[in-house]
Amino acid sequence: MKYLYSTLALLLALLVLPIEGAQNWSRLQSIPTSAIIPVLWDGSISCTAWRLSPTILITVDHCATDGEGIDINEVTTPDGVLKVITRDHEQDLAAIETPVSHDANLLPSDIPLTVGQPVAAIGYGGGNPTPFYTFGVVSNPLMKILVNPTFAVDGLIIYGGFVSGMSGGPILNEDGLVVGVVKATGPPMGIYQDIGVGVPQEVFLKFLKGL
């Protein structure tokens, strides 16, 4: 019963989801893979991070915790062991500082998302050694997801599932601009295999303004 409201809302969102034709994703080909890096745990890929600026990476906050959900102040990446400089527990976002400067950075978009808009996510999913894309459409740009009977979080609902390991990766529009951050395969524990949940655009942009 505790997930009843979230389930009903998700089903309703999918019922009104328009069917879109083929999209042109040619601009994604210009995104350098060096802008997307893996977050490692015990030597294996656990999550994804991406470059917001030459020295700042963005990921989700739950990727900056240990196996028991306790905050850690450093994460391991190919850039080295990096410091978490700020985090938002409630909205599940974290910023990481890297001393390895890169020009391959991704830009956010402040153009509001609409229902039925095509999006793509990129990350290190399924243990793949290189980043890859998954594609979907926006089902609900901003929806309250009931985590338990007394706590709800904001979610960007994507019809088109993500893959384990993509958490923290960017969600992109057709122009290759970031419109959200991959959060989970489906609420609350991967129940809906064809539904992906992201940190919503307006939540993500507010976090960036605080950096």
Side-chain angles (χ1 to χ4, degrees), residues 144-160:
K144 288 291 183 182
I145 300 173
L146 196 64
V147 176
N148 61 49
T150 60
F151 180 65
V153 297
D154 295 317
L156 162 62
I157 309 302
I158 305 297
Y159 187 70

Side-chain angles (χ1 to χ4, degrees), residues 114-137:
T114 57
V115 173
Q117 181 175 340
V119 291
I122 183 170
Y124 287 83
N128 287 281
T130 57
F132 69 96
Y133 290 96
T134 62
F135 298 90
V137 292

Side-chain angles (χ1 to χ4, degrees), residues 23-148:
Q23 293 87 38
N24 178 12
W25 293 104
S26 60
R27 295 192 184 186
L28 298 188
Q29 297 174 8
S30 64
I31 294 177
T33 56
S34 57
I36 314 296
I37 70 170
V39 176
L40 307 174
W41 184 259
D42 288 337
S44 299
I45 296 173
S46 63
C47 290
T48 299
W50 54 276
R51 302 186 191 279
L52 172 71
S53 73
T55 58
I56 298 294
L57 303 170
I58 300 295
T59 189
V60 283
D61 182 57
H62 72 259
C63 291
T65 61
D66 65 10
E68 302 298 324
I70 305 300
D71 288 353
I72 55 178
N73 295 320
E74 295 178 330
V75 297
T76 302
T77 76
D79 284 1
V81 178
L82 308 180
K83 182 181 178 181
V84 178
I85 56 173
T86 188
R87 64 206 316 160
D88 184 330
H89 287 295
E90 184 173 321
Q91 299 299 346
D92 200 12
L93 286 167
I96 304 165
E97 187 175 32
T98 173
V100 182
S101 182
H102 280 264
D103 292 330
N105 309 305
L106 299 180
L107 299 175
S109 170
D110 59 1
I111 300 175
L113 291 172
T114 57
V115 173
Q117 181 175 340
V119 291
I122 183 170
Y124 287 83
N128 287 281
T130 57
F132 69 96
Y133 290 96
T134 62
F135 298 90
V137 292
V138 174
S139 177
N140 192 319
L142 183 63
M143 191 184 84
K144 288 291 183 182
I145 300 173
L146 196 64
V147 176
N148 61 49

